[in-house]
Amino acid sequence: MRRRLALVVGALLVSAACSSPSAGTSAPKADERTRTVRPVEGCGTGSWTDPADLAPDRSPARCRPGSPPPRRLPEPRKLTIATGTLGAEYVAPLRVALDKGEFEKEGLDITLKVLPTPEALPLLAKGEIDALWAAPEAAVMNGVRGGFTIRWVAGNFSPDPKSRSGLWVRLKDGETATAVRMADRRLGTMIGKGSVIAYPMEQVLERHGGGLDRIRYQQLGSADVLTALQNGGVDSAWLLDPVWRRGDGQPGYAFLGGQPAGEPLGGMLYGPSLLNDDVDAGVALLRAYIRTVNTYFAGDYKRKESYVTYLAGLLKTDAAILRSTPSLRMDWEIRTGTTDRLQAAYRAQGVAEGESLPESQTVTRSLYEEAVGHRR
């Protein structure tokens, strides 16, 4: 079902792009490198890192707390950001930025609107919403291939090395975590095909005699994935935070791997309104987001009990559940080649066709670079 949905969404996006006034293959204004980039107070050499550095222990870029300082726009702007949820931890920087007035300091009136990615994409492409907090999933790539002006403009997070969010398996007799054959196993997942987890899942499966085309998918609700793994309904599952904690340390189960450390797989996507029509507002939005990360999420933000309590209230979740998993490594930068690796995984799943789109058509780093004062 998920595969058919991804293909249908892609077809709709391509069809709509043919008649959309914002469709086209020309580079958006944000990519033209004609803007003046000045040094930014509080953002030194550590505020930018080499995007080609894929080391799992790399340190994410950081400015000083409170930096980059706000530069209020001459006229206030109203912007809408779509997100699939308001309660997930990876959305916390947006929730905190709104709550702490960081967007307001830039002259931005931000509305967070809950919309699933397939519904949000056509609205983003037409400029009816301004940004999407999600990931460059297969449907996004299909839309760009169809001519939509959409770019991935900022990252969100990478996992803590202690996290075990990812692929878990029930061990058969004689198997160990280092000797598991995944071919022909039934995999339970709440996300299905066409999601960015295809890339890390492909890496894990290949280490264990499997492949994205050699497993059987069973899409389940979030509350059912672990239950199905435990009762034998599936023999492997992709478990997210904090569900994996309930299987951690249990005999008969093994964690095989998750998202690559040091490589964000999602974040902020812009459409034509911020890539072409109002690039100043696009920079201001990322400046507020980056300042929030530097001020409130720079390191292990869960070390203070009072802050965990604050976040739990903001996200409307249980503080004990939030505390049970390691802090995410919030990271606004985008690594070189991530969209290439994602697209290869989508092709392996059968939800994308043709050659990979070049990074110049999928990623724009210039806006977050301008926000921290990095000049190439």
Side-chain angles (χ1 to χ4, degrees), residues 77-367:
R77 313 287 209 280
K78 289 187 175 182
L79 302 179
T80 299
I81 305 172
T83 175
T85 177
L86 292 176
E89 189 174 340
Y90 68 86
V91 187
L94 299 187
R95 301 295 306 274
V96 171
L98 198 59
D99 187 63
K100 298 291 187 180
E102 298 297 344
F103 294 129
E104 186 179 359
K105 293 173 185 175
E106 301 286 350
L108 299 175
D109 181 356
I110 299 293
T111 297
L112 298 180
K113 185 172 185 176
V114 177
L115 279 176
T117 296
E119 293 181 24
L121 277 178
L123 302 178
L124 180 66
K126 291 186 290 185
E128 294 182 14
I129 60 174
D130 304 287
L132 173 59
W133 188 252
E137 297 179 345
V140 176
M141 297 296 101
N142 288 338
V144 175
R145 181 175 282 105
F148 280 160
T149 302
I150 296 174
R151 297 290 186 274
W152 185 19
V153 299
N156 52 8
F157 73 92
S158 62
D160 185 279
K162 297 187 293 293
S163 174
R164 290 193 162 196
S165 172
L167 186 59
W168 286 75
V169 63
R170 285 172 60 96
L171 297 174
K172 297 179 180 178
D173 290 344
E175 288 184 333
T176 66
T178 57
V180 176
R181 183 167 178 79
M182 288 299 299
D184 298 321
R185 300 244 186 175
R186 185 178 295 278
L187 173 73
T189 171
M190 61 174 285
I191 301 174
K193 294 184 179 182
S195 163
V196 291
I197 69 162
Y199 156 45
M201 191 159 62
E202 181 177 45
Q203 290 186 315
V204 176
L205 290 171
E206 288 177 350
R207 294 197 297 267
H208 295 278
L212 293 174
D213 59 344
R214 301 182 67 189
I215 58 172
R216 293 172 291 160
Y217 297 89
Q218 183 168 334
Q219 192 167 357
L220 299 165
S222 59
D224 302 324
V225 176
L226 180 61
T227 301
L229 181 64
Q230 291 173 327
N231 66 21
V234 297
D235 45 19
S236 62
W238 191 271
L239 302 181
L240 302 176
D241 288 333
V243 177
W244 63 267
R245 296 287 299 184
R246 292 164 58 190
D248 195 24
Q250 296 295 316
Y253 298 91
F255 170 66
L256 302 185
Q259 178 179 333
E263 184 176 11
L265 300 181
M268 195 78 80
L269 303 171
Y270 279 1
S273 67
L274 297 181
L275 291 169
N276 283 324
D277 303 336
D278 198 345
V279 180
D280 285 347
V283 174
L285 175 54
L286 292 190
R287 189 164 51 238
Y289 162 52
I290 292 169
R291 184 169 59 253
T292 302
V293 170
N294 289 320
T295 307
Y296 302 101
F297 298 93
D300 182 9
Y301 52 88
K302 295 183 182 179
R303 68 187 183 277
K304 292 185 178 180
E305 182 61 33
S306 59
Y307 191 65
V308 173
T309 301
Y310 163 73
L311 280 183
L314 204 61
L315 300 174
K316 293 182 171 56
T317 190
D318 190 307
I321 293 175
L322 190 63
R323 195 184 305 111
S324 70
T325 56
S327 296
L328 301 177
R329 290 187 170 183
M330 302 302 185
D331 189 345
W332 64 80
E333 294 187 311
I334 299 170
R335 305 293 178 263
T336 300
T338 297
T339 56
D340 296 332
R341 293 182 283 276
L342 289 172
Q343 290 177 89
Y346 300 151
R347 286 197 301 275
Q349 283 189 324
V351 293
E353 298 179 356
E355 296 297 318
S356 292
L357 294 167
E359 198 173 75
S360 61
Q361 294 181 29
T362 60
V363 173
T364 292
R365 296 184 180 87
S366 60
L367 302 182

Side-chain angles (χ1 to χ4, degrees), residues 32-55:
E32 292 176 355
R33 300 190 187 181
T34 58
R35 296 174 60 83
T36 301
V37 179
R38 300 180 178 85
V40 171
E41 181 183 355
C43 294
T45 56
S47 65
W48 179 89
T49 66
D50 182 358
D53 181 1
L54 298 177

